[in-house]
């Protein structure tokens, strides 16, 4: 009850999911791509002849490179094969409905010509406004653009990891003003932006300034009508992150599932709020790393299963790409995009606009739902050739059809609220989808 809650000035400003059209669009998109592109693409995980296994976008930190030396990479920023329209076409063919772009990662290099720092694309041989070209190209393909923004900035002398003195406090307050300016600049230069995804917000300095995270959320919402903001930005009065001290989600959607997913049986609590997960294709490489043999690389099928898993629990999934320093994508990523796109073309209706079904998870795969239609997405076909379906009390299956082909599928009621749904006669040789039309018993 509300009267037992801790009073908070900077906690959640809303209880439950947002119900406006912009939020519904965010949700309906379901599948997105992440782009991690910055100076770190140039060394690609290697510094002074040594290859580091850690995340390539953290190389500056692994190799202990001072910022001024790191920023000399700007002289090599000249992605001759960069073609924003080709990137947008690839995204459309993959079937993603939105792309999250690193406007500025921890290193501090800006993909847009920011007035507030010299570390931007403008001061490189290439000069061009990469971010502006991408926003236009993606929007021209009907794809929403989301901005990744790291608050932590290794290039800025006023950044502080903690506030321990008057001097720290003054420096950090200049830093927060700088950050506000950059965010206002992004929101006004690129007004079609649909979302800000904050990162680099875990330090004590930021947790001690929960007020500022609430202020940023409000500032951006005033500037960009409908904009969505991830929970990772937020800290409350007590420095509690993502969920406030009363347990309420801050921001519009939860963004804590990174390279992992909620358990489809045990973690159903996530269906009470909006959430978005993101994943890398190798184990933990967001930026371009020249050697993908250093860790396990997920197959397209494994990526697909994670996409369906997220949607089946009412979440979005964002698949990461780390473009090469020449502006092109590595062959593995092109193949992955094509392969996901081929499947989405046939079966995408079980992804876009779909949500958690509320039905009991079965071993053959995942359910998703759109209104009265429940989709069975089959990843593990059983030897019995019968897909067991248990419906909630009061729900009846009227008809079952294959999604790619529209063929009727035989269903047999085997017990109360239990059915055998037949496998298609011919093994599709890939995860396939059966649509169940349902009705409520009266
Ligand atoms: C951060 C970055 O440090 C990383 O380089 C990448 O950009 C990724 C998307 O975000 O890394 C994180 C952030 C949050 C968690 C884990 C890694 N987390 O909440 O578990």
């Amino acid at each position: 009850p509300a009267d037992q809650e801790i009073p908070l000035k900077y906690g959640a400003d809303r209880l439950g999911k947002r119900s406006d059209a912009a939020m519904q669009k965010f949700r309906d998109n379901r599948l997105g791509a992440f782009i991690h592109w910055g100076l770190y693409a140039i060394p690609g995980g290697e510094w002074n002849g040594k290859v580091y296994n850690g995340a390539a976008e953290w190389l500056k930190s692994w190799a202990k490179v001072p910022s001024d030396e790191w920023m000399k990479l700007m002289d090599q920023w000249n992605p001759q094969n960069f073609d924003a329209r080709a990137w947008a076409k690839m995204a459309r063919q993959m079937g993603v409905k939105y792309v999250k772009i690193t406007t500025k990662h921890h290193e501090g290099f800006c993909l847009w010509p920011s007035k507030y720092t010299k570390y931007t694309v403008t001061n490189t041989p290439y000069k061009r406004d990469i971010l502006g070209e991408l926003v236009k190209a993606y929007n021209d393909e009907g794809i929403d653009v989301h901005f990744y923004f790291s608050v932590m900035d290794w290039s800025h002398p006023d950044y502080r990891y903690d506030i321990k003195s008057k001097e720290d406090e003054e420096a950090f307050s200049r830093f927060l003003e700088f950050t506000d300016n950059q965010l206002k600049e992004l929101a006004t230069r690129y007004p079609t932006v649909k979302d800000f995804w904050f990162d680099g917000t875990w330090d004590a300095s930021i947790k001690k300034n929960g007020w500022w995270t609430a202020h940023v959320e409000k500032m951006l919402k005033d500037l960009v009508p409908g904009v969505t903001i991830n929970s990772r930005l937020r800290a409350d009065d007590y420095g509690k992150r993502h969920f406030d001290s009363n347990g309420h989600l801050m921001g519009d959607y939860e963004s804590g599932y990174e390279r992992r997913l909620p358990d489809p049986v045990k973690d159903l609590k996530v269906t009470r709020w909006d959430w978005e997960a993101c994943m890398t294709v190798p184990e933990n490489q967001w930026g371009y790393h020249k050697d993908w043999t250093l860790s396990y690389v997920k197959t397209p099928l494994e990526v697909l299963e994670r996409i369906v898993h997220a949607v089946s629990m009412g979440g979005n999934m964002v698949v990461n790409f780390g473009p090469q320093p020449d502006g092109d994508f590595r062959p593995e990523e092109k193949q992955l995009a094509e392969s996901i796109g081929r499947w989405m073309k046939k079966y995408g209706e079980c992804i876009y606009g779909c949500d958690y079904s509320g039905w009991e998870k079965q071993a053959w795969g995942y359910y998703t739902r759109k209104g009265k239609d429940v989709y069975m997405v089959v990843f593990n076909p059983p030897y019995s050739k019968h897909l067991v379906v248990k419906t909630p009390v009061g729900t009846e299956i009227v008809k079952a059809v294959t999604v790619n082909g529209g063929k009727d599928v035989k269903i047999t009621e085997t017990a109360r609220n239990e059915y055998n749904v037949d496998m298609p006669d011919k093994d599709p040789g890939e995860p396939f989808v059966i649509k169940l039309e349902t009705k409520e018993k009266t």
Side-chain angles (χ1 to χ4, degrees), residues 65-312:
V65 187
S67 205
D68 48 347
E69 197 186 326
W70 182 261
M71 285 304 176
K72 288 194 190 123
L73 288 168
M74 282 170 58
D75 299 338
Q76 295 177 60
W77 182 263
N78 198 7
Q80 285 300 316
N81 297 328
F82 174 65
D83 176 354
R85 278 159 59 194
W87 285 30
K89 199 170 152 230
M90 175 174 159
R92 179 174 46 79
Q93 282 171 349
M94 178 179 170
V96 301
K97 301 291 184 192
Y98 65 109
V99 177
K100 300 181 107 80
I101 309 171
T102 50
T103 59
K104 179 179 88 166
H105 205 265
H106 311 333
E107 64 180 6
F109 177 65
C110 300
L111 286 189
W112 82 100
S114 177
K115 293 196 283 215
Y116 303 100
T117 171
K118 57 180 194 251
Y119 303 128
T120 82
V121 280
T122 311
N123 302 316
T124 67
Y126 198 66
K127 294 196 177 67
R128 279 153 59 179
D129 174 5
I130 299 277
L131 186 62
E133 291 184 27
L134 285 174
V135 170
K136 170 148 197 335
Y138 285 127
N139 286 170
D140 285 351
E141 292 285 358
I143 293 170
D144 289 342
V145 173
H146 295 188
F147 286 167
Y148 166 106
F149 184 93
S150 172
V151 176
M152 176 173 76
D153 184 332
W154 294 332
S155 75
H156 202 290
D158 289 331
Y159 187 74
R160 292 293 180 277
Y161 294 91
D162 200 351
I163 313 290
K164 288 185 167 146
S165 65
K166 188 94 189 93
E167 196 282 325
D168 284 344
E169 202 179 302
E170 284 164 9
F172 200 64
S173 107
R174 286 192 300 273
F175 178 79
L176 293 182
E177 200 184 312
F178 156 77
T179 306
D180 279 2
N181 285 333
Q182 285 205 320
L183 290 169
K184 281 187 258 183
E185 190 179 44
L186 283 170
T188 47
R189 277 184 69 101
Y190 312 104
T192 64
V193 61
K194 298 292 180 233
D195 172 274
F196 281 81
W197 196 92
F198 287 93
D199 191 21
T201 44
W202 47 72
D203 285 325
S205 52
I206 297 162
K207 289 196 275 184
K208 286 177 182 172
N209 283 283
W211 69 270
W212 176 80
T213 70
H215 145 82
V216 165
E217 181 174 354
K218 188 170 180 316
M219 176 181 88
L220 291 173
K221 286 182 173 174
D222 288 345
L223 280 170
V224 186
V227 76
T228 51
I229 309 277
N230 68 333
S231 63
R232 195 177 290 184
L233 166 69
R234 295 283 275 106
D236 75 0
D237 313 39
Y238 297 95
K240 186 93 179 24
R241 300 185 58 224
H242 292 278
F243 291 86
D244 70 17
S245 299
N246 293 313
H248 305 309
L249 181 72
M250 296 181 284
D252 300 311
Y253 61 98
E254 199 257 357
S255 56
Y257 285 97
E258 199 249 67
R259 298 184 292 123
R260 65 195 177 95
L261 281 168
D263 184 275
V265 177
K266 290 185 214 143
D267 296 328
L268 286 172
K269 62 178 190 299
V270 301
T271 61
R272 296 203 300 258
W273 51 78
D274 285 300
W275 60 280
E276 177 191 71
C278 53
M279 65 175 288
T280 52
V281 180
E283 196 186 316
N284 183 21
Q285 295 293 344
W286 298 90
Y288 173 76
H289 194 295
K290 55 179 68 172
D291 190 356
W292 265 21
T293 68
L294 295 173
S295 75
Y296 182 70
V297 177
K298 290 170 204 76
T299 65
L301 205 57
E302 288 171 311
V303 172
L304 184 64
E305 179 155 358
R306 283 165 173 80
I307 295 167
V308 177
H309 179 162
V311 176
S312 78

Side-chain angles (χ1 to χ4, degrees), residues 331-346:
E332 298 96 319
E333 289 183 346
K334 287 186 188 172
Q335 282 155 19
L336 173 69
E338 264 170 42
S339 160
I340 299 291
R342 256 197 310 277
W343 195 88
M344 288 299 156
K345 243 185 220 102
K346 293 192 232 171

